[in-house]
Amino acid sequence: MAERIANLTAAMDRLYEFDREPVTPDKLQSGGKFAGLLAGEHVAATEFVIGAFFVLHGVAARDLLLGLLLGNLLAVLSWTFICAPIAVRTRLTLYWYLRKIAGPGVTFIYNIANAFLYCVLAGAMISVSATAVGLVVGIPVPGLGAVWPTSLGWVLVTVGLGAAFTAMAVLGFSKLSRFAEVVSPWIFVVFIAGAVAMLPRLGVGPGLENFGAVLRDKVWNGVAAAGQEKFGFGHVLFFAWFCNLAMHVGLSDMALFRYARRWTYGLYSAFGMYPGHMLAWLASGIMVAAVGREMHPGLMAFEAAGIAGVAGVLLAGWTTANPTLYRAGLALQTITPNWPRWKITLLAGGATTVLACFPVFFLKLLDYVAIYGLVLMPVGAIVFAEHWIFPKLKIEQYQAEKRGWAFNGAALGVWLGTLGICAILPIHLYFRWLPGWVLAVLAYTSLMAWKGER
């Protein structure tokens, strides 16, 4: 037994992912890999929750369609013109590149925060998948206001799913992209088929003559559910844009795009945004309206597509939790230099599984997504300024690395100061990140220029 464990450990240690150095040219991946991985990640179990919440928040049909079209376009452009070019130029993860800019001390703080927030997000995906499995095995799903685990069965299901999801994340980028390529087209079909199957229950006739009227009057009717805030066009546009803020503007997806042959591979994010963050959200909205506006992703999918729907929710959670755990492992790996990536990913998976047992993380998903993107956003702004603006203004780059600073005080101050200002801005939570990003870029550039002059 000891020999088998030693052999397995040695095999895992060979799963090298260029944790601390640039990706070499022979390891670059094709565009198809990115299309599959991004489609799999963003046609996710959480789409069942987000699309349904737009219905519960009383978004009108016109506001939803226009908001999703424009918001997702802005997200694709953010990946293409902000994240992918930096990743392709450096071939480094954000977590390692940040050490050159902010110093190991700031990077340590950032990576702890980053890994924790990603673990919570991955935990929400496991929880959503657990609603589907729990339905099949007869375990009650937590209600809309639940915070704590509601039964031992719920805990056992989430622990089992967490173990399976973590095992896949340990295998690394190549296996993740291959898994997503295989299952993501089928997941998308489940979303669309489920929505179509629910249309007759909402009163849509065989000829679809009343299709538009039913969607306007019974699905996105502009009436918020009891206890839910009313959303409009601006909320949808900004949510679609910042739903993955930490990944594109926040630059965490440097971990993926460092494998891209060209920066234009950022456009492949459209394979995730429009099938996942548009059509899947629309489909889940139809499904939640058809089950009486009850927030139960597993029930929505089962009522629409039976066992195939349950499998769709399960795999949608799996394909999204995998790269999220992968990012969390890379973030933690930079602060544990003697640990191989697979071990730290295993640790992150264990923490994620514990968090997944608490239903509050997926039942408050919209607000959580806004907060976690906002927390990580200023660091992306700092890296953007250092990478692109400093050379144009002839400000010295990578001063932390050159001078051996453990803490770049300007970077830490701008990060914390930006969050403090965003916390008190008198606008909706969804709108705060954009002025915060601009403020962080200007403040960091000004501070480092002043330090350079001194």
Side-chain angles (χ1 to χ4, degrees), residues 139-160:
I139 294 172
V141 172
L144 192 58
V147 174
W148 303 95
T150 52
S151 68
L152 177 61
W154 170 261
V155 172
L156 293 176
V157 168
T158 55
V159 168

Side-chain angles (χ1 to χ4, degrees), residues 190 250 342 361:
V190 168
W342 72 268
F361 292 118

Side-chain angles (χ1 to χ4, degrees), residues 14 28 46 51 62 77 103 115 125 133 139 171 224 226 232 245 277 280 303-304 313 324 326 352 423 446:
R14 289 193 292 271
L28 301 183
T46 47
R62 179 183 175 84
L77 295 177
M125 296 163 194
V133 176
I139 294 172
L171 296 178
L245 184 67
H277 290 185
E303 291 281 327
V313 176
T324 305
Y326 176 72
T352 296
S446 300

Side-chain angles (χ1 to χ4, degrees), residues 62 77 151 164 184 253 308 314 325 349 387 393 413:
R62 179 183 175 84
L77 295 177
S151 68
S184 57
D253 265 355
L314 173 62
L325 283 172
H387 187 87
L393 298 181

Side-chain angles (χ1 to χ4, degrees), residues 34 133 138 144 228 264 268 282 386 420:
F34 287 88
V133 176
L144 192 58
Q228 301 295 321
T264 52
Y268 283 106
L282 295 175
E386 182 109 14

Side-chain angles (χ1 to χ4, degrees), residues 4-20 170-172 333 336-346:
R4 289 185 178 181
I5 294 175
N7 290 338
L8 178 61
T9 300
M12 291 295 163
D13 286 342
R14 289 193 292 271
L15 295 173
Y16 181 59
E17 292 287 319
F18 298 93
D19 310 320
R20 305 179 183 87
V170 163
L171 296 178
Q333 217 273 332
T336 55
N338 295 322
W339 282 41
R341 183 198 57 83
W342 72 268
K343 284 185 179 179
I344 201 66
T345 303
L346 196 63

Side-chain angles (χ1 to χ4, degrees), residues 49 55-56 66 79 87 100 138 153 184 197 213 234 238 264 272 307 347 354 357 360 382 430 453:
V49 176
V55 173
L56 299 183
L66 289 177
W79 263 299
K100 297 162 65 72
S184 57
F238 268 83
T264 52
I307 296 300
L347 179 63
V354 173
C357 296
V360 66
I382 288 166
Y430 293 2
E453 290 174 0

